[in-house]
Every structure is written in structure tokens, then in C-alpha cells.
Amino acid sequence: MSQTVDIPQSIKDTLRKFRFARRSSGSAALIIKINKPKLILEEVEQFDDISIEDLAEELPENSPRYVLLSYELNHSDGRKSFPLVLINWAPITSEISLLTLHASAFLNFQTTADVSKVVEIRDGPEGLTKEIIDAKLLSS
């Protein structure tokens, strides 16, 4: 399969480490971007205990990102789980060529990250809230 954007082994290793990290409380996030000139994925930042609202403020308003989120989900029966969620951060104010590149690499990244739960966010920080994530995860 041809790929528009390369996923370096270092990113694959980071994804694996993030995926299998043990968490007992709070949400963790790994932010990945596309380096457009080199056509490779790069890690931007990792957060160990971050609220969804703080995460939304950390993300750029004019540039797409892939966000791997280990989310603390509290169920109605009192259980707590930490599902892995891929946030496709693609603000409509982003440059069209970046959005196109981001979209073309999305499925390959999702497969490499081995994540089935995806949340699309196109309307910036106000579109990424705990309520929105809870609603998406508890309905599936």
C-alpha cells in the first residue's frame, strides 16, 4: 500500500509505549503532527494527567493533529476504564493542503496506532469537551 506520509519507527515505538502504559487515574495524551516538508509524522508533546479542556487549549487552532488519548471514563455503574481514543483534530481554519495531507494519512495512522474509537473535532477548542468525549464513548 502506498503511503503519503511515513511513520518512523520512533513514532511506532512511542505509540506502543503509550498504548501499554498502566494508568490508574486521569487522562493522558500523545500529540502527533505531520512534518509537511519531510512527509513524516513527528511527536509534538505528551501529557500524563491532563483534562480534556486543558488538552483543547494546547492544540493549535489552525493546524491538524492526531491525538492519541488514554481517557479516564467513569461508567454509570461505578466502574472506571481507560479506553484508547484517537482524536482527529482538523480545525476548518487549517490550510487546505495540510488538511488534505492529514486526511490522506489518517487511516494509516489509525491502523498503526491500533485504535478503533475515533472522535472527529473540526470546530476548535469548543468542540473538544469532556461531555462530548463521554457522549461518544458511552454511546458506543
Side-chain angles (χ1 to χ4, degrees):
M1 177 169 78
S2 71
Q3 300 170 12
T4 51
V5 177
D6 187 41
I7 302 176
Q9 188 59 46
S10 61
I11 293 293
K12 292 176 183 176
D13 294 344
T14 300
L15 289 170
R16 182 171 169 72
K17 186 177 175 187
F18 183 85
R19 179 178 182 75
F20 292 111
R22 291 268 178 230
R23 293 179 178 56
S24 58
S25 67
S27 296
L30 170 64
I31 302 172
I32 305 284
K33 73 172 186 174
I34 295 175
N35 178 322
K36 190 177 173 186
K38 293 182 180 177
L39 292 178
I40 62 169
L41 291 181
E42 294 179 340
E43 179 179 343
V44 176
E45 199 163 356
Q46 263 193 67
F47 298 96
D48 270 335
D49 188 8
I50 189 167
S51 72
I52 296 301
E53 287 72 17
D54 288 345
L55 175 61
E57 292 304 316
E58 291 290 336
L59 293 166
E61 290 190 32
N62 299 314
S63 188
R65 297 286 188 263
Y66 304 120
V67 181
L68 199 57
L69 179 67
S70 176
Y71 182 67
E72 182 177 347
L73 181 64
N74 295 301
H75 299 267
S76 58
D77 61 3
R79 290 178 303 121
K80 187 186 293 191
S81 65
F82 294 87
L84 207 55
V85 182
L86 177 55
I87 297 174
N88 186 16
W89 179 265
I92 55 174
T93 55
S94 300
E95 181 186 322
I96 294 296
S97 65
L98 263 178
L99 281 175
T100 304
L101 195 57
H102 182 82
S104 71
F106 179 75
L107 283 176
N108 186 31
F109 181 77
Q110 182 183 358
T111 302
T112 302
D114 195 19
V115 181
S116 59
K117 294 177 176 69
V118 176
V119 177
E120 300 272 341
I121 304 293
R122 301 213 179 276
D123 44 0
E126 57 277 358
L128 182 57
T129 65
K130 182 175 179 3
E131 292 73 27
I132 288 171
I133 301 292
D134 283 347
K136 295 262 189 191
L137 294 177
L138 293 171
S139 69
S140 57

